[in-house]
Amino acid sequence: MNQSAPESQVDSAEMEPIPEPEGKTEIIETNYDIGQDNFSGSLALELDIHKVVFTVSAIAIMLFTFGTLAFQNEVEPLFVGLRDWLTGNLAWFFLLSGNIFVLVCLGLIVSPLGKIRLGGPAATPDFGYVGWFSMLFAAGMGIGLMFYGVSEPLSHYSTAMGGISVGEDGLRTDWAPLGGAEGDTVAAQRLGMAATIFHWGLHPWAIYAVVALALALFSFNKGLPLTLRSAFYPIFGERIWGWPGHIIDILAVLATVFGLATSLGVGAQQAAAGLNFLFGLSTGNTMLIVLIILITLVAIVSIVRGLEGGVKVLSEVNMGLAGVLLLFVIVAGPTLAILTGFFENLLAYGRYLPSLSMPFGREDANFAGGWTAFYWAWWISWSPFVGMFIARVSRGRTVREFLVAVLIVPTFLSVLWMTAMGGTAIGQVVNDGYLAAQEATLELQLFQMLKALPLTALSSCVGIILVVLFFITSSDSGSLVIDTIAAGGKTNAPVVQRVFWASFEGAVAIALLLGGGLAALQAMAVSTGLPFTLVLLGACYAVVRGLMNEPRA
């Protein structure tokens, strides 16, 4: 669910000041001026940074990075233990929070508050439906879908087919979702796809929608800066300009940096696996470090070149290639099975949704903790990034229109992607006896699936290019969002600050890979997602209070 094409749109929007509300809105009168707590001047380089948010965030990230690199062997078991403890003991909290986000969104859709228009009663949409829907789709495409598009459906299918296994302590040791479907091929396919869609459907998009709605409402309608602290004005009042607000924005920066680093690390692993698959290159740490450094340097070039010469071009190429790869798999793969499977998988998702989203009394602890809790924490850590993009392109929409589109459109398109990629791989196992993808490592499964289709080398090259481009555009636009928060809501801070954040995203990704690989990446996504979950729960309350004071269209 991590991002590609929307970065150009964010970049474009962020270069302009936030528009004033149009029509009667409940403007919040405050004496705070954007940037008043900033350091603005020259320290060898021109800077415009929030004194507290930037300083604390930057020092924390640097200490973490250097500490992890200095004690690689010692921190790996620490990361593994941290991930396992959080997902094992707090899975119920992540699942319950995810359900609350979905219920808040659905409640707003059907309530009179859904009539309120973002930007004021007289505001008009900045984009038509086609362009808007395309950008919402783009926000759901990224390294995550490339990495898990084949591997997750295959994994859930395999574990469901294996059924339940119980250890000597009486606890389940398998990873099957719910009760599995031992020996039942059709049921295992449906359960595996339903479990996958559960992780890429309504719940993650409700997480993003809450953040986007909070940012849009308090910026476009209330006239406050475009930072997460603004959403908490109904709770803290003027205190949001002090330490309560500083803590919220620092958590947003840290969550986004580590969420991005997780995705960048995953992307580097998959790019290395693809290069090994095609050209026999190494997949060791040296290759991963070289890839991250090179791709981060390209991202920095993109940042320096700006919108027209950098990320906009890359984003357009990205979305075009993603569409071509999806269409290729649909046409070259089991076309009829993919098209019919789309509807069958949606029905299976609806059937299993209540059980999959149950936070208490779960016997499938490995699945609920190791898969769902990790995903929810990862999406939450990405939410400031994706939420800001969605907010910026959704001005002029009613709350109801906004939430229906943000929840439904990307969910359907994610289902199509997973059905095409994962359904094709499962079909190869069930119908053709082709087991290469199923038996491959996670990062290699996409390429092994493509190997059974025509034009393997070409389609695999497209896959590698997509992963690299997702890396670049995510780093570029993620740096922009982080910098907006760390600059106190300013949207035109010096470009060198974005270069700084892009560099440290790459550095954190390297540190995590060397300090424990995928387990370390997952551990930091979960640990930074945990405190930010509390921020999002508070934002739900603040959004409802803020909407209740707004005129309704």
Side-chain angles (χ1 to χ4, degrees):
M1 184 155 313
N2 311 326
Q3 295 58 37
S4 59
E7 294 78 351
S8 62
Q9 304 295 340
V10 177
D11 206 342
S12 177
E14 291 292 352
M15 298 305 289
E16 303 170 359
I18 304 297
E20 295 291 329
E22 299 180 42
K24 184 180 178 181
T25 63
E26 190 70 20
I27 294 289
I28 293 177
E29 299 294 339
T30 176
N31 295 324
Y32 183 83
D33 294 322
I34 296 177
Q36 74 175 40
D37 292 329
N38 284 20
F39 168 82
S40 182
S42 178
L43 289 176
L45 297 170
E46 191 70 24
L47 298 175
D48 192 351
I49 55 177
H50 192 283
K51 296 174 185 175
V52 176
V53 175
F54 180 94
T55 304
V56 174
S57 301
I59 290 175
I61 293 167
M62 285 190 284
L63 288 176
F64 171 85
T65 303
F66 295 141
T68 302
L69 290 174
F71 302 100
Q72 294 175 29
N73 296 329
E74 290 82 359
V75 296
E76 181 173 358
L78 177 64
F79 283 134
V80 173
L82 178 64
R83 179 198 62 184
D84 293 345
W85 188 90
L86 288 172
T87 56
N89 292 278
L90 295 176
W92 66 269
F93 174 70
F94 285 113
L95 267 69
L96 179 61
S97 300
N99 293 341
I100 291 172
F101 301 140
V102 172
L103 292 174
V104 167
C105 292
L106 295 178
L108 290 174
I109 288 173
V110 301
S111 78
L113 299 177
K115 297 180 181 179
I116 294 168
R117 191 171 295 277
L118 300 174
T124 56
D126 295 330
F127 303 95
Y129 277 113
V130 174
W132 187 43
F133 287 157
S134 297
M135 287 184 286
L136 293 179
F137 167 64
M141 291 295 298
I143 294 172
L145 281 179
M146 292 296 295
F147 191 86
Y148 289 106
V150 170
S151 63
E152 185 173 355
L154 264 181
S155 176
H156 296 330
Y157 163 76
S158 300
T159 55
M161 276 290 287
I164 296 173
S165 59
V166 180
E168 294 180 359
D169 55 2
L171 299 177
R172 284 177 57 175
T173 58
D174 63 274
W175 284 76
L178 302 178
E182 186 173 1
D184 189 333
T185 301
V186 175
Q189 289 183 65
R190 294 290 163 258
L191 178 56
M193 290 305 302
T196 301
I197 295 168
F198 173 57
H199 293 148
W200 296 84
L202 293 176
H203 282 74
W205 286 101
I207 292 169
Y208 294 155
V210 166
V211 177
L213 183 57
L215 288 167
L217 175 67
F218 286 93
S219 181
F220 299 152
N221 293 58
K222 309 290 188 182
L224 296 180
L226 191 67
T227 64
L228 265 297
R229 73 172 71 200
S230 297
F232 287 80
Y233 197 94
I235 299 175
F236 296 113
E238 289 294 312
R239 286 179 295 166
I240 65 165
W241 312 123
W243 273 103
H246 298 340
I247 292 172
I248 290 168
D249 281 349
I250 289 168
L251 286 174
V253 170
L254 295 179
T256 306
V257 167
F258 286 110
L260 277 167
T262 301
S263 295
L264 301 185
V266 165
Q269 288 180 322
Q270 189 169 33
L275 292 171
N276 173 264
F277 176 75
L278 285 178
F279 307 113
L281 300 181
S282 169
T283 58
N285 285 338
T286 301
M287 173 59 73
L288 294 176
I289 293 171
V290 170
L291 278 174
I292 292 175
I293 291 175
L294 290 177
I295 298 173
T296 299
L297 288 174
V298 176
I300 290 173
V301 172
S302 175
I303 289 171
V304 173
R305 288 178 61 87
L307 171 64
E308 293 299 329
V311 71
K312 182 179 179 181
V313 174
L314 294 176
S315 296
E316 290 172 350
V317 172
N318 218 0
M319 284 310 300
L321 286 177
V324 168
L325 183 61
L326 177 63
L327 183 61
F328 167 76
V329 173
I330 292 174
V331 173
T335 306
L336 182 60
I338 291 172
L339 297 179
T340 57
F342 173 81
F343 298 101
E344 293 169 351
N345 293 335
L346 275 177
L347 289 174
Y349 172 52
R351 173 188 171 190
Y352 288 110
L353 179 59
S355 300
L356 289 167
S357 57
M358 177 61 65
F360 306 112
R362 295 287 290 268
E363 295 182 358
D364 55 340
N366 285 335
F367 173 82
W371 280 100
T372 305
F374 161 67
Y375 264 128
W376 279 199
W378 194 11
W379 301 152
I380 288 167
S381 69
W382 268 81
S383 59
F385 171 28
V386 188
M388 188 173 290
F389 157 68
I390 294 174
R392 291 310 306 263
V393 301
S394 300
R395 185 179 180 276
R397 303 291 177 184
T398 66
V399 170
R400 179 174 296 118
E401 187 181 16
F402 166 82
L403 289 174
V404 168
V406 172
L407 263 64
I408 302 303
V409 173
T411 294
F412 280 160
L413 292 168
S414 294
V415 172
L416 179 59
W417 181 276
M418 289 296 185
T419 299
M421 302 296 172
T424 297
I426 292 174
Q428 291 172 349
V429 174
V430 174
N431 302 320
D432 306 329
Y434 177 76
L435 304 178
Q438 186 180 35
E439 295 173 351
T441 57
L442 288 179
E443 59 268 20
L444 193 58
Q445 288 182 329
L446 169 66
F447 303 105
Q448 291 292 355
M449 182 274 288
L450 293 174
K451 185 177 181 180
L453 301 179
L455 304 175
T456 299
L458 180 59
S459 60
S460 297
C461 281
V462 170
I464 296 171
I465 293 170
L466 274 171
V467 171
V468 171
L469 290 180
F470 283 134
F471 192 140
I472 295 169
T473 52
S474 294
S475 178
D476 187 331
S477 57
S479 304
L480 176 67
V481 171
I482 295 168
D483 188 43
T484 299
I485 300 171
K490 283 199 170 184
T491 59
N492 56 349
V495 69
V496 67
Q497 295 172 200
R498 289 171 62 188
V499 172
F500 169 84
W501 290 115
S503 302
F504 267 89
E505 289 156 20
V508 171
I510 291 173
L512 289 172
L513 284 172
L514 294 179
L518 186 59
L521 296 170
Q522 293 173 336
M524 290 315 300
V526 174
S527 58
T528 54
L530 176 61
F532 204 68
T533 303
L534 298 173
V535 173
L536 263 62
L537 290 171
C540 290
Y541 170 75
V543 163
V544 174
R545 278 195 58 180
L547 286 171
M548 291 176 69
N549 296 326
E550 284 293 305
R552 299 169 197 177

